[in-house]
Amino acid sequence: MIAGGDERALRLRPHHIFCSGFLPLALLDRGEEFSRAMHAIVELVRRESGTVVIVTEGPDQLCEYCPDLKNGRCENPNGDEEKVRRWDARIREGLGLSYGEGVPVKVLRALIEDRSPLDFCLSRCPWRDFCGVRGPMRSIQA
């Protein structure tokens, strides 16, 4: 479990909700703490133990473990906070979610399966060459 987190409620920004099932985790090398947190999130989603995901605008529980989070903002050279917020908005719209909305993991999994791939995935996502969105959801399959 994420340190200090409630297993029943997980705050995630839209690209973390959507992309964790498709991107190879090895590609997201952001240090040991981030890797542990990402694996914990994937495991919570996989178990479907009553977890509810709160759709979060801006940095979320996973970002707290990322070395690219500086002064409450994403400062990753591949996508700073402004870019990431635009990605999040497109993914959120594609899934039909609202910021602040709490969605059970089981519902999110069905929604992702039903709507994948999103238009954003096929045309705008900078990770599309590495992503498995056209295949099964590797990381969060039960």
Side-chain angles (χ1 to χ4, degrees), residues 65-82:
Y65 295 90
C66 183
D68 296 325
L69 183 69
K70 296 179 175 111
N71 299 317
R73 298 174 39 81
C74 180
E75 296 297 337
N76 186 290
N78 296 317
D80 63 15
E81 188 64 34
E82 286 73 27

Side-chain angles (χ1 to χ4, degrees), residues 3-78:
D6 178 357
E7 189 170 325
R8 297 273 181 216
L10 191 59
R11 292 180 303 100
L12 294 175
R13 58 192 316 167
H15 80 273
H16 289 156
I17 292 169
F18 186 83
C19 302
S20 65
F22 302 111
L23 282 175
L25 297 180
L27 210 96
L28 305 174
D29 184 20
R30 299 210 174 110
E32 193 174 318
E33 275 191 293
F34 180 86
S35 182
R36 270 198 306 267
M38 184 66 169
H39 284 286
I41 286 171
V42 168
E43 188 58 32
L44 279 174
V45 171
R46 179 181 293 134
R47 283 187 297 149
E48 293 185 18
S49 60
T51 301
V52 171
V53 173
I54 310 299
V55 183
T56 303
E57 185 173 17
D60 61 14
Q61 282 178 272
L62 181 57
C63 296
E64 294 169 11
Y65 295 90
C66 183
D68 296 325
L69 183 69
K70 296 179 175 111
N71 299 317
R73 298 174 39 81
C74 180
E75 296 297 337
N76 186 290
N78 296 317

Side-chain angles (χ1 to χ4, degrees), residues 73-128:
R73 298 174 39 81
C74 180
E75 296 297 337
N76 186 290
N78 296 317
D80 63 15
E81 188 64 34
E82 286 73 27
K83 281 184 184 176
V84 173
R85 283 182 185 252
R86 286 192 300 269
W87 300 341
D88 281 340
R90 288 182 178 108
I91 291 169
R92 181 189 56 76
E93 290 166 6
L95 293 174
L97 300 172
S98 300
Y99 287 122
E101 181 177 2
V103 185
V105 166
K106 187 174 184 174
V107 172
L108 277 178
R109 287 182 59 178
L111 188 61
I112 290 168
E113 278 189 38
D114 182 55
R115 298 200 180 179
S116 296
L118 300 173
D119 288 339
F120 172 77
C121 302
L122 301 174
S123 62
R124 306 290 310 250
C125 179
W127 297 91
R128 68 183 168 268

